[in-house]
Amino acid sequence: MLRFLRANGISVSEPIPGKDGAYLSVFNVMEGTRYGVLFQYAEGHEMPIHAAADSYRFGESIGHMHKSADQFESRFARERLDMEFLIERPLSIIRSYMEHRLTDVNYLSEMATELKKRISELKVQGLDWGVCHGDLHGNTNAAWTEDGKLTHYDFDLCGYGWRAYDIAEFRLAREIHSRHDPEEVERLWDAFLRGYCSVRSLSENDLAAVPVFVAVRQLWLFGLCFRDSDFVGIADIDDGFIDSKMQYFKSLEYV
């Protein structure tokens, strides 16, 4: 997919084959067989998105990416970013780590049921489905040059999913990095949408789905934090962390 995007003018960090033509390198280490891929250097540097102009450029770039990916086909399979992946699996992980907080677990279960209901209703009206980057927060997965050129990378969560979910992560990231400043969130979100829609249209139904997928993304991230604790440690996943997440979920007016 990265080679396809690159061939179609999308600036991504492309894999580089070895002398034997293979893209995967095999490493035999103490833990067993591991694999690696060499990628092209991405010119520029990562940066937080605080300016409307940068948000516009990022949205424009994602619009081009989605538009090009609409033509992509492969005989290989990828994870589907569906309700099983985004809601059911994270909720199962969360339950296993929060047995001491059953009231909160029950709340999250009811919220998950409502989220699935809302998505099912939106699907009836038609939701754009296609190749998604899967992690479009815009903070540490793109390199910016001084002249505004963007190179995208960090596609390890890519797969087929709802495009409203793909762009919802950008909005959630703006909420988090602005410390939930509504004025800044709307300013940057509006610029992102103007950039995106200058290249590729979004239906009113897809736009209406974004707040639902913002909540879905936060639930997915909550599960990811617990899942990754197996190798990064559990110290930061304490009751204070859980309290902050529950406070966020209980503040959602549309769930």
Side-chain angles (χ1 to χ4, degrees):
M1 187 188 75
L2 292 174
R3 289 188 292 137
F4 173 88
L5 292 174
R6 188 80 176 197
N8 283 272
I10 309 302
S11 183
V12 298
S13 180
E14 190 177 12
I16 300 173
K19 291 181 178 179
D20 60 356
Y23 287 93
L24 280 177
S25 297
V26 180
F27 303 93
N28 295 313
V29 295
M30 289 180 62
E31 295 81 5
T33 303
R34 296 292 184 267
Y35 301 90
V37 180
L38 180 65
F39 288 92
Q40 289 178 333
Y41 176 71
E43 294 286 346
H45 59 278
E46 295 172 351
M47 70 174 194
I49 296 177
H50 295 303
D54 294 331
S55 191
Y56 182 96
R57 283 198 292 269
F58 192 78
E60 183 182 39
S61 181
I62 300 308
H64 283 295
M65 183 190 297
H66 281 175
K67 185 175 182 178
S68 178
D70 284 339
Q71 308 303 317
F72 175 71
E73 295 180 358
S74 176
R75 70 182 189 275
F76 298 104
R78 280 291 292 177
E79 188 82 71
R80 288 170 59 88
L81 309 182
D82 54 14
M83 286 191 273
E84 169 67 23
F85 177 84
L86 298 173
I87 299 176
E88 294 294 348
R89 290 189 211 169
L91 189 60
S92 178
I93 294 170
I94 292 167
R95 285 194 189 105
S96 67
Y97 282 90
M98 286 179 53
E99 293 178 349
H100 63 301
R101 298 183 61 153
L102 291 180
T103 299
D104 288 332
V105 169
N106 290 336
Y107 181 91
L108 292 174
S109 297
E110 292 176 1
M111 185 188 74
T113 298
E114 180 62 23
L115 288 171
K116 288 187 290 184
K117 177 185 175 184
R118 293 291 303 278
I119 294 171
S120 296
E121 292 169 349
L122 290 160
K123 282 173 61 181
V124 172
Q125 301 300 319
L127 286 175
D128 184 19
W129 176 274
V131 173
C132 293
H133 178 282
D135 201 20
L136 290 177
H137 49 73
N139 303 304
T140 57
N141 52 21
W144 301 68
T145 61
E146 293 298 327
D147 60 1
K149 179 185 176 182
L150 276 166
T151 300
H152 297 278
Y153 39 85
D154 193 19
F155 282 78
D156 59 302
L157 291 172
C158 73
Y160 285 90
W162 293 291
R163 274 5 192 313
Y165 168 75
D166 214 18
I167 64 174
E169 166 58 3
F170 181 81
R171 182 178 175 98
L172 175 60
R174 304 289 68 76
E175 291 181 7
I176 293 171
H177 287 272
S178 71
R179 298 181 183 272
H180 299 277
D181 179 340
E183 183 176 337
E184 181 173 349
V185 171
E186 293 305 325
R187 177 174 60 85
L188 296 178
W189 177 242
D190 177 70
F192 173 89
L193 288 179
R194 285 190 288 106
Y196 187 101
C197 293
S198 70
V199 177
R200 184 176 185 274
S201 62
L202 284 168
S203 72
E204 290 299 320
N205 197 53
D206 284 306
L207 291 174
V210 169
V212 178
F213 282 119
V214 167
V216 168
R217 176 70 179 190
Q218 188 72 296
L219 181 68
W220 183 86
L221 287 171
F222 195 17
L224 180 70
C225 290
F226 285 119
R227 190 195 73 184
D228 284 359
S229 67
D230 290 343
F231 62 87
V232 300
I234 196 67
D236 292 331
I237 318 300
D238 57 10
D239 281 321
F241 170 80
I242 296 174
D243 287 342
S244 67
K245 291 293 185 183
M246 293 307 303
Q247 183 180 4
Y248 174 87
F249 290 125
K250 291 178 180 179
S251 71
L252 299 177
E253 297 178 357
Y254 44 85
V255 177

